[in-house]
Amino acid sequence: NAGVTQTPKFRVLKTGQSMTLLCAQDMNHEYMYWYRQDPGMGLRLIHYSVGEGTTAKGEVPDGYNVSRLKKQNFLLGLESAAPSQTSVYFCASSYSSAWSGELFFGEGSRLTVL
Amino acid sequence: GEDVEQSLFLSVREGDSSVINCTYTDSSSTYLYWYKQEPGAGLQLLTYIFSNMDMKQDQRLTVLLNKKDKHLSLRIADTQTGDSAIYFCAESTGSSNTGKLIFGQGTTLQVKP
């Protein structure tokens, strides 16, 4: 049972480069989320999705795009990376019904933008 | 807007009790949560409390909720070195059923042998 899997786990980019982070979950969850974690700031929601084909902006969406073409996958894209996007990125998923707040997290993707 | 505040660091000796505190602002939150993050890993749900409860106990964990003061605490009895981690308080936004959570900054718990 893999749960939530993120790839890649580490990446170094130069300013202006683009990349995509992939999140895959095998729990048939409807809801998926991308958070970023920065020291002293906790987790901040970037974008989220409440179902296949739908996405919505979170707290800090600027500079990121997302897609949910398949229910099990949620992609986070950076079109033109900036040093301010250096962070640890976490994907999470949850059930849509019987909501009790349990988000299932991936292990994180550490991104450094030079 | 919604905000969740925590102290950043707590150090205790093995065997002592740890108390991690949190304040939140959204009085409409349905649930409040404690998540644990071990080094190099994602967050895992530790426990949660429904907003109409004052206390919840689960083995070594006790959650206390003071709705009037919007204060949440997590007490870990007989703290072990394996409890060393970052603990995040979180609240549900309450306004829509999207599952969005607002997280605090996280409290790093250091357990000394």
Side-chain angles (χ1 to χ4, degrees), chain B residues 47-111:
Chain B
T47 186
Y48 67 91
I49 187 166
F50 192 52
S51 59
N52 68 354
M53 297 169 65
D54 297 326
M55 184 181 84
K56 180 179 180 181
Q57 189 148 5
D58 184 2
Q59 298 182 329
R60 292 190 298 121
L61 305 178
T62 303
V63 178
L64 295 177
L65 175 60
N66 181 330
K67 285 196 72 175
K68 175 176 171 290
D69 295 337
K70 297 190 184 121
H71 183 266
L72 183 73
S73 68
L74 173 70
R75 179 177 180 269
I76 305 173
D78 187 25
T79 312
Q80 303 296 307
T81 54
D83 295 324
S84 293
I86 304 175
Y87 291 80
F88 290 91
C89 171
E91 63 172 348
S92 57
T93 57
S95 57
S96 61
N97 186 26
T98 59
K100 290 191 293 179
L101 299 185
I102 304 296
F103 287 88
Q105 307 96 314
T107 300
T108 298
L109 175 64
Q110 180 189 67
V111 183

Side-chain angles (χ1 to χ4, degrees), chain A residues 1-7 9 22-29 31-32 68 71-74 91-95 102-108, chain B residues 43-44:
Chain A
N1 186 4
V4 178
T5 304
Q6 294 179 227
T7 53
K9 289 186 170 39
L22 170 64
C23 176
Q25 51 95 4
D26 60 2
M27 297 173 282
N28 201 35
H29 286 171
Y31 294 177
M32 296 186 74
R68 185 99 181 269
K71 185 177 182 178
Q72 64 267 35
N73 295 336
F74 195 30
C91 176
S93 68
S94 68
Y95 294 110
E102 183 162 16
L103 301 185
F104 293 81
F105 282 84
E107 294 185 342
Chain B
L43 282 69
Q44 284 190 303

Side-chain angles (χ1 to χ4, degrees), chain A residues 31 33 37 40 90 100-101 103 106, chain B residues 33 35 37 42 88 97-99 105:
Chain A
Y31 294 177
Y33 313 83
Q37 182 180 27
F90 285 97
S100 65
L103 301 185
Chain B
Y33 315 90
Y35 279 80
Q37 183 183 30
F88 290 91
N97 186 26
T98 59
Q105 307 96 314

Side-chain angles (χ1 to χ4, degrees), chain A residues 43-48 57-62, chain B residues 2 101-102:
Chain A
L43 276 77
R44 293 181 291 169
L45 183 64
I46 305 171
H47 286 279
Y48 65 99
K57 293 180 180 179
E59 184 185 354
V60 287
D62 294 341
Chain B
E2 302 97 349
L101 299 185
I102 304 296

